[in-house]
């Protein structure tokens, strides 16, 4: 097993976060509604509960609320008696809302792996590989960040003697970190390779998944299909409270059907979009009325097939959403999108995978400027 040492946690925000959580009376873990965000949420809640903390969670509905620290729901929770909010797999890009939370008097810890595109808010701790000093943590997923942070907390709250014991303290948490890491498709370095060894353990810890004949290829779909309803998320509720077995059984039954239908839709859209020739183009930009939930997968499929940057824009309720993919170390989608931020309602992500929201009336102007700029690049 790879070795985690004290020097790996020399980044000052680890210590600052520890002191905040040590004095916290009621904590809200704020997650994200994808496989990485959901697994990160469960890891953080389970860890804080094991430390004797009074902890709750909230995962915004991507369809109804949006992504990250969405203002409407932040306003709702600011009226509640939580003294500390801990984000997982989100928050780094929500500069203005972070300031608002800080000014409210509540403590805030941002744990995330997305690259901030604005300055940090003063006196807020950011547990993010972008700021950390250790290269061992450079390529963590959101669940990976949550897991590594949990290792630090377990050792410094003296729940275990050392970081090796902390790594093995909660076997389910390691499996959840492996699921999030695999589903978010981050770079596989030595740290992520070690975490991924525990991926198959999810079948042992959640045997109901095996009863429905789900295999490894379905795991990401199961977590991604867990949608928040009335402030509760099905898979989070089941793992944190196993007397929800019947509800989870129904959820898996519906999910199996949804995954099958999703695959059929992806095959159909892939064929339709692939009727056009993209071979001679530097990049692929597609605007469609396809439901937004399909565009990320479609972007990945086309990018792998043609080995070039791909961005697909689809319908997302009142706005449109774009998902951009390209697995190349020398290309940075987040830096590209930053050039066009004036068009977006919001954007974020990583070098290889990023996304944005845009109003319909701004799409044509955005695409035109995007084409002009990218065609001028060497």
């Amino acid at each position: 097993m790879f070795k985690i040492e004290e020097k790996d946690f020399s980044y000052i925000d680890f210590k600052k976060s520890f002191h905040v959580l040590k004095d916290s009376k009621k904590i809200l873990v704020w997650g994200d509604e994808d496989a990485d965000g959901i697994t990160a949420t469960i890891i953080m809640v389970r860890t804080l509960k094991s430390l004797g903390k009074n902890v709750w969670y909230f995962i915004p509905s991507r369809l109804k609320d949006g992504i990250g620290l969405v203002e409407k729901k932040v306003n709702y929770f600011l009226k509640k008696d939580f003294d500390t909010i801990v984000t997982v797999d989100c928050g780094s890009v929500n500069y203005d809302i972070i300031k608002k939370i800080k000014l409210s008097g509540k403590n805030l810890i941002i744990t995330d792996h997305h690259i901030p595109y604005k300055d940090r808010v003063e006196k807020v701790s950011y547990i993010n590989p972008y700021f950390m000093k250790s290269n061992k943590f450079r390529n963590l997923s959101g669940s990976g960040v949550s897991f590594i942070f949990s290792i630090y907390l377990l050792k410094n709250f003296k729940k275990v003697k050392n970081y090796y014991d902390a790594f093995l303290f909660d076997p389910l948490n390691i499996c959840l970190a492996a699921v999030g890491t695999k589903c978010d498709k981050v770079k596989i370095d030595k740290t992520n390779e070690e975490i991924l060894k525990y991926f198959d353990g999810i079948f042992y810890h959640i045997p109901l998944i095996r009863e429905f004949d789900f295999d490894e290829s379905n795991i990401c779909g199961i977590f991604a299909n867990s949608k928040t309803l009335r402030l509760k998320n099905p898979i989070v509720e089941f793992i944190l409270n196993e007397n929800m077995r019947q509800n989870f059984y129904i959820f898996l039954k519906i999910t199996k059907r949804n995954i099958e239908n999703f695959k059929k839709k992806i095959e159909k859209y892939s064929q339709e979009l692939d009727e056009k020739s993209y071979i001679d183009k530097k990049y692929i930009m597609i605007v469609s009325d396809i439901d937004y939930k399909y565009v990320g997968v479609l972007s990945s499929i086309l990018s792998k097939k043609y080995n070039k940057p791909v961005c697909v824009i689809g319908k997302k309720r009142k706005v449109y959403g774009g998902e951009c993919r390209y697995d190349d170390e020398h290309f940075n989608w987040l830096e590209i999108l930053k050039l066009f931020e004036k068009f977006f309602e919001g954007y974020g992500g990583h070098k290889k995978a990023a996304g944005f929201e845009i109003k319909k009336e701004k799409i044509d102007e955005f695409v035109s400027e995007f084409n002009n700029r990218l065609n001028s690049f060497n």
Side-chain angles (χ1 to χ4, degrees), residues 25 52 108 125 127 151 169 196 208 216 243 255 274 277 285 317-318 337 340 356:
K25 304 301 181 186
L108 181 62
S125 294
I127 306 299
I151 289 175
F169 178 79
L196 285 169
L208 261 181
E216 183 178 313
N243 64 13
T255 296
D274 212 25
S277 175
M285 167 66 76
R317 297 196 83 188
K318 295 180 181 180
L337 293 184
F340 308 98
F356 58 87

Side-chain angles (χ1 to χ4, degrees), residues 89-100:
D89 193 36
C90 67
S92 292
V93 302
N94 301 123
Y95 179 83
D96 293 330
I97 300 179
I98 292 172
K99 281 188 73 173
K100 183 175 187 175

Side-chain angles (χ1 to χ4, degrees), residues 8-222:
D8 294 317
F9 294 104
S10 62
Y11 171 58
I12 188 63
D13 284 26
F14 278 113
K15 188 174 183 180
K16 287 161 59 178
S17 299
F18 164 74
H19 286 296
V20 168
L21 291 172
K22 188 177 180 181
D23 296 332
S24 296
K25 304 301 181 186
K26 190 173 183 181
I27 303 166
L28 177 68
V29 174
W30 188 294
D32 181 37
E33 197 187 54
D34 67 358
D36 193 27
I38 289 170
T39 50
T41 300
I42 301 169
I43 291 167
M44 189 61 67
V45 172
R46 285 171 60 84
T47 299
L48 292 172
K49 281 182 176 289
S50 74
L51 298 175
K53 292 297 178 179
N54 184 9
V55 55
W56 300 68
Y57 80 91
F58 172 64
I59 298 175
S61 164
R62 286 194 168 193
L63 186 61
K64 295 180 180 179
D65 304 317
I67 299 173
L69 290 167
V70 288
E71 190 164 18
K72 185 177 179 180
K73 282 297 190 286
V74 165
N75 291 339
Y76 171 81
F77 283 106
L78 285 180
K79 297 173 185 176
K80 305 298 180 181
D81 60 346
F82 299 100
D83 53 20
T84 301
I85 296 174
V86 180
T87 74
V88 291
D89 193 36
C90 67
S92 292
V93 302
N94 301 123
Y95 179 83
D96 293 330
I97 300 179
I98 292 172
K99 281 188 73 173
K100 183 175 187 175
I101 295 171
K102 190 62 184 173
L103 289 171
S104 75
K106 293 188 185 294
N107 300 311
L108 181 62
I109 299 170
I110 305 294
T111 82
D112 192 9
H113 69 135
H114 297 95
I115 302 172
Y117 51 81
K118 288 189 178 180
D119 293 335
R120 293 172 48 149
V121 176
E122 289 185 11
K123 298 182 180 179
V124 172
S125 294
Y126 289 74
I127 306 299
N128 187 319
Y130 185 78
F131 300 117
M132 291 181 199
K133 294 179 180 179
S134 176
N135 286 328
K136 291 179 184 176
F137 305 151
R138 186 65 57 206
N139 298 300
L140 291 172
S141 64
S143 59
V145 172
S146 192
F147 180 63
I148 290 297
F149 187 41
S150 76
I151 289 175
Y152 176 81
L153 293 175
L154 288 166
K155 195 260 186 183
N156 285 275
F157 270 92
K158 302 188 185 307
K159 193 76 176 177
V160 295
K161 292 182 179 179
N162 53 56
Y163 291 124
Y164 177 80
D165 290 344
F167 186 93
L168 300 172
F169 178 79
D170 188 332
L172 175 53
N173 277 359
I174 306 176
C175 298
L176 290 167
V179 170
T181 298
K182 187 177 184 68
C183 296
D184 219 48
K185 298 178 181 177
V186 292
K187 183 177 179 180
I188 307 305
D189 57 12
K190 288 184 179 179
T191 304
N192 286 335
E193 190 175 64
E194 191 64 35
I195 291 172
L196 285 169
K197 289 178 181 178
Y198 297 86
F199 180 85
D200 288 340
I202 201 70
F203 294 100
Y204 171 80
H205 290 285
I206 312 179
L208 261 181
I209 292 175
R210 195 165 47 237
E211 288 180 30
F212 274 83
D213 293 324
F214 286 114
D215 60 21
E216 183 178 313
S217 66
N218 300 134
I219 296 299
C220 297
I222 292 171

Side-chain angles (χ1 to χ4, degrees), residues 235-251:
I235 202 163
V236 181
E237 288 295 304
F238 171 72
I239 292 177
L240 296 180
N241 184 5
E242 290 196 11
N243 64 13
M244 303 292 288
R245 178 185 171 88
Q246 185 58 36
N247 288 354
F248 191 62
Y249 183 91
I250 295 169
F251 160 74

